[in-house]
Amino acid sequence: MSFPLLAIEAGNSRLKFGFFIPSQTTFYRKLDGRVVKTKRVEGDWPHCHRFLAIPVGEAIPWQTLMSWNPDGAIIAGSNPRAVDRVLSDWYQTGLKPPIMVRERSSIPVELDVDSPDTVGLDRLLNAVAANALRPASRSAIVIDSGTATTVNYVSQAGTFCGGAILPGLEMSAKALNYYTAALPLLPVQDLGGDVPVAPGRNTREAIRNGLFWGQVGAIRELVNQICQQKKLAVPDFGGAIDSPNAPWMILTGGGGPILSPQFPGVLAVPSLGMHGLVLTAWTHHV
């Protein structure tokens, strides 16, 4: 059963709030310089009708959230303290208690990893949404560029099979500043705009080069390694990405808009995990 829902994702850096309604959705992506229709999801795909995000420590805008008039709410996240903070103020909403997603067993995706209980909920919720988007005949690789960047593999059968975790753009920038005596802190938004040109001719540009191309290169190589291990066609992130033996590629996360131009042909879906959260609620008919 699909119904309007307030989804709340408590991350390490931000609290994200989305008001989702059922819709018919067509996805488009750039492929070889052309915009092409890539998939149509009928009826049961969550459309994000309203969205806002705040730093974890900021006051929660309850009045704004209640003006969205959701039928219910669901909450999950990789930051238990942030989840508890939301719950402590829930009485202000007037809504019935939210659906809580704390256990991996409540997320509708199979796992094939060494330690299922240690896999982050955000990675599994991405897999739920990826399974709703990918063609049934294709496996998927989900790239999530957030506080950490994850590159995860979902099999053709829809099973989450693990992946890789590395520092995200902002975490890397803060580490360079914190662990050195002289390197400045480069705001992540400064990575947008013009693509960095190597070699950087000053310290600031050198940091931009390292953060940006280091992240792009790491993602490409991780995708390459996964494809080699799974005996899949290695995408060139252009035309060959649509090879039937290549994985279906999805890019999400706060760093997605910065990285997306370097991955043409990859489907970009903002807040993919929140879509997976809503699909989890709809799957369980709660």
Side-chain angles (χ1 to χ4, degrees):
M1 179 175 62
S2 304
F3 53 93
L5 194 65
L6 172 64
I8 304 172
E9 184 178 3
N12 292 301
S13 302
R14 299 190 301 165
L15 278 171
K16 296 190 290 185
F17 306 88
F19 178 45
F20 289 83
I21 59 177
S23 72
Q24 296 183 348
T25 303
T26 301
F27 287 92
Y28 297 88
R29 57 180 172 165
K30 288 185 177 180
L31 194 61
D32 293 334
R34 299 173 294 113
V35 176
V36 298
K37 183 170 73 173
T38 186
K39 187 174 179 64
R40 183 166 180 80
V41 180
E42 304 290 346
D44 57 355
W45 176 255
H47 168 67
C48 189
H49 188 61
R50 297 278 191 273
F51 177 83
L52 64 85
I54 62 171
V56 165
E58 279 194 5
I60 299 172
W62 289 115
Q63 292 300 317
T64 298
L65 299 177
M66 291 308 96
S67 71
W68 296 351
N69 296 316
D71 289 354
I74 186 168
I75 181 170
S78 55
N79 187 337
R81 289 186 179 180
V83 171
D84 290 342
R85 178 175 167 238
V86 172
L87 294 177
S88 69
D89 291 339
W90 194 258
Y91 68 92
Q92 299 182 41
T93 69
L95 291 173
K96 64 182 180 181
I99 303 160
M100 291 298 306
V101 179
R102 291 188 186 272
E103 303 296 330
R104 287 148 187 85
S105 59
S106 64
I107 299 176
V109 64
E110 297 293 327
L111 284 77
D112 182 13
V113 295
D114 291 342
S115 302
D117 290 341
T118 65
V119 178
L121 297 180
D122 51 344
R123 300 169 72 193
L124 299 182
L125 292 170
N126 278 342
V128 171
N131 279 334
L133 288 173
R134 66 180 179 84
S137 61
R138 302 273 287 278
S139 59
I141 292 179
V142 180
I143 304 161
D144 188 344
S145 173
T147 302
T149 294
T150 60
V151 182
N152 296 310
Y153 177 71
V154 181
S155 74
Q156 184 179 337
T159 302
F160 177 88
C161 299
I165 305 172
L166 64 151
L169 291 165
E170 184 173 5
M171 185 185 295
S172 298
K174 288 181 176 178
L176 281 176
N177 172 249
Y178 183 82
Y179 288 106
T180 64
L183 293 181
L185 176 62
L186 186 74
V188 171
Q189 56 265 32
D190 285 10
L191 294 174
D194 295 337
V195 175
V197 177
R201 294 175 58 84
N202 54 63
T203 300
R204 183 183 183 83
E205 287 303 310
I207 294 173
R208 285 189 80 224
N209 269 277
L211 294 175
F212 183 85
W213 292 116
Q215 193 81 179
V216 170
I219 291 170
R220 287 176 176 167
E221 183 57 28
L222 287 166
V223 170
N224 177 64
Q225 291 295 322
I226 290 172
C227 289
Q228 287 190 31
Q229 290 295 322
K230 298 298 180 180
K231 296 180 172 53
L232 298 169
V234 178
D236 63 3
F237 304 107
I241 202 167
D242 269 352
S243 165
N245 192 39
W248 183 260
M249 302 281 294
I250 307 172
L251 173 64
T252 191
I258 295 172
L259 298 173
S260 185
Q262 302 304 314
F263 298 95
V266 174
L267 179 64
V269 182
S271 302
L272 184 71
M274 297 187 77
H275 290 81
L277 187 57
V278 176
L279 288 168
T280 295
W282 289 354
T283 298
H284 289 300
H285 306 289
V286 289

